[in-house]
């Protein structure tokens, strides 16, 4: 039996659905329906972001273009702005941690014997 590749949302949606009041293990058809709704919404947001980027003469979309798609909805704008900032904080923290590990690797270990003559 060939195993079907799961979408990136399939694992995360059931716990989210449960958190919003669904049963602990929602019906697979419900998960697929919510997944299709989320995909459709993401496509709409990204399509709008691409249009905003093109309007500004840009060939690529950045966080600001996505953020601008929610400018008329203060709650969504604030939440998306917060998520973008948190994502940047996570990236910065990972980079800093990686640099610390590189420095630790590069430092010679100090043995208790001191320099040899």
């Amino acid at each position: 039996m060939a195993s079907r590749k799961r979408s990136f949302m399939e694992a995360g949606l059931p716990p989210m659905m449960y958190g919003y009041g669904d049963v602990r293990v929602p019906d697979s058809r419900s998960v697929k329906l919510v997944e299709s709704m989320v995909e459709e919404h993401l496509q709409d947001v990204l399509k709008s972001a691409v249009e905003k980027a093109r309007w500004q003469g840009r060939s690529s979309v950045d966080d600001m273009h996505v953020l601008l798609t929610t400018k008329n909805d203060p709650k969504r704008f604030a939440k998306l702005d917060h998520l973008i900032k948190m994502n940047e904080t996570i990236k910065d923290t990972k980079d800093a941690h990686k640099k610390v590990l590189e420095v630790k690797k590069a430092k010679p270990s100090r043995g208790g014997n001191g320099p040899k003559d």
Side-chain angles (χ1 to χ4, degrees):
M1 182 172 155
S3 64
R4 181 177 77 78
K5 189 174 182 180
R6 291 178 61 162
S7 76
F8 75 97
M9 284 190 277
E10 260 184 284
L13 279 177
M16 288 173 62
M17 292 169 66
Y18 177 67
Y20 281 99
D22 204 337
V23 295
R24 186 173 295 277
V25 181
D27 187 85
S28 63
R29 294 173 298 179
S30 296
V31 175
K32 287 177 185 171
L33 176 63
V34 171
E35 180 180 15
S36 70
M37 293 168 65
V38 169
E39 286 176 352
E40 186 176 325
H41 178 69
L42 285 173
Q43 288 173 356
D44 290 344
V45 168
L46 292 174
K47 185 177 176 183
S48 178
V50 166
E51 289 171 2
K52 291 179 185 329
R54 285 188 182 149
W55 184 80
Q56 292 180 341
R58 309 255 175 136
S59 60
S60 62
V61 175
D62 62 23
D63 293 343
M64 186 54 65
H65 298 117
V66 175
L67 190 59
L68 288 173
T69 64
T70 62
K71 70 180 181 183
N72 294 328
D73 186 339
K75 275 186 170 181
R76 283 187 181 173
F77 184 90
K79 186 168 188 158
L80 187 54
D81 186 45
H82 175 74
L83 291 172
I84 289 170
K85 287 177 182 172
M86 289 305 298
N87 189 44
E88 290 171 5
T89 301
I90 290 168
K91 284 181 186 176
D92 293 344
T93 303
K94 284 181 179 179
D95 288 343
H97 182 67
K98 189 184 289 185
K99 287 179 184 176
V100 167
L101 291 177
E102 288 171 1
V103 168
K104 283 185 178 180
K105 278 185 179 179
K107 270 189 181 178
S109 62
R110 292 189 175 181
N113 300 337
K116 291 187 178 183
D117 295 344

